[in-house]
Amino acid sequence: MNIPFLGNRRKKHGEAVPAVDAEGVAELLSECELLRSLAAREGIRLDDTGASLEALDQLVPRWRDDEEILPWLGNDAGLYLGTVIVRTVPGAAWDFWPGGQPVVRLASGREFDVVTAGHEWAANGVPELSQLYGEVAEV
């Protein structure tokens, strides 16, 4: 699996390149530092549940006027949505499209582009993160 954001690790002669396991990737993708910081300032605890997605949907979108923060927050929102799905929907797992775009693959094989969904939520507020989660969790 090609994971560009982890860097280009080149093997020195006779040295093994450490493998990145699925749990390690999931941990990296779940950090969402900007979103967690924003939520904490607003008194919201992101506990990787659908309820926390509902709480995020209720935030007043003060970030929409900040063109520098908007793309980063959109990324974090999508990765957090993916984290909730992977941790709560049986059979869901992180996967990557060619080029390194993280997506969530459901047990059915359906892929869900959480990053694009996060950007749409950050920019427009729709679709709501909790609504997207509800649709995926029902499948």
Side-chain angles (χ1 to χ4, degrees):
M1 177 181 339
N2 179 22
I3 307 174
F5 67 86
L6 292 177
N8 192 6
R9 298 182 182 213
R10 295 185 188 258
K11 179 168 85 169
K12 293 181 183 176
H13 183 65
E15 186 178 308
V17 176
V20 177
D21 63 4
E23 191 173 311
V25 169
E27 191 64 33
L28 282 171
L29 295 176
S30 72
E31 287 181 1
C32 311
E33 191 173 322
L34 178 61
L35 182 68
R36 289 183 189 278
S37 172
L38 173 78
R41 281 195 306 265
E42 298 293 328
I44 297 171
R45 182 172 171 265
L46 298 185
D47 59 0
D48 302 344
T49 64
S52 65
L53 294 172
E54 290 176 19
L56 285 173
D57 288 335
Q58 301 306 311
L59 285 176
V60 175
R62 294 182 185 103
W63 61 82
R64 290 197 184 126
D65 295 331
D66 189 337
E67 291 182 23
E68 286 185 35
I69 201 171
L70 190 61
W72 294 101
L73 187 64
N75 244 13
D76 275 11
L79 294 176
Y80 183 70
L81 172 61
T83 295
V84 174
I85 293 169
V86 167
R87 292 186 176 168
T88 62
V89 175
W94 286 106
D95 200 357
F96 296 88
W97 283 343
Q101 172 86 6
V103 296
V104 172
R105 181 182 298 271
L106 303 177
S108 66
R110 179 177 164 217
E111 293 177 333
F112 189 63
D113 182 359
V114 292
V115 173
T116 297
H119 281 278
E120 291 172 359
W121 174 83
N124 306 311
V126 289
E128 292 182 336
L129 298 175
S130 60
Q131 176 188 357
L132 292 168
Y133 172 73
E135 291 172 11
V136 170
E138 288 179 5
V139 173

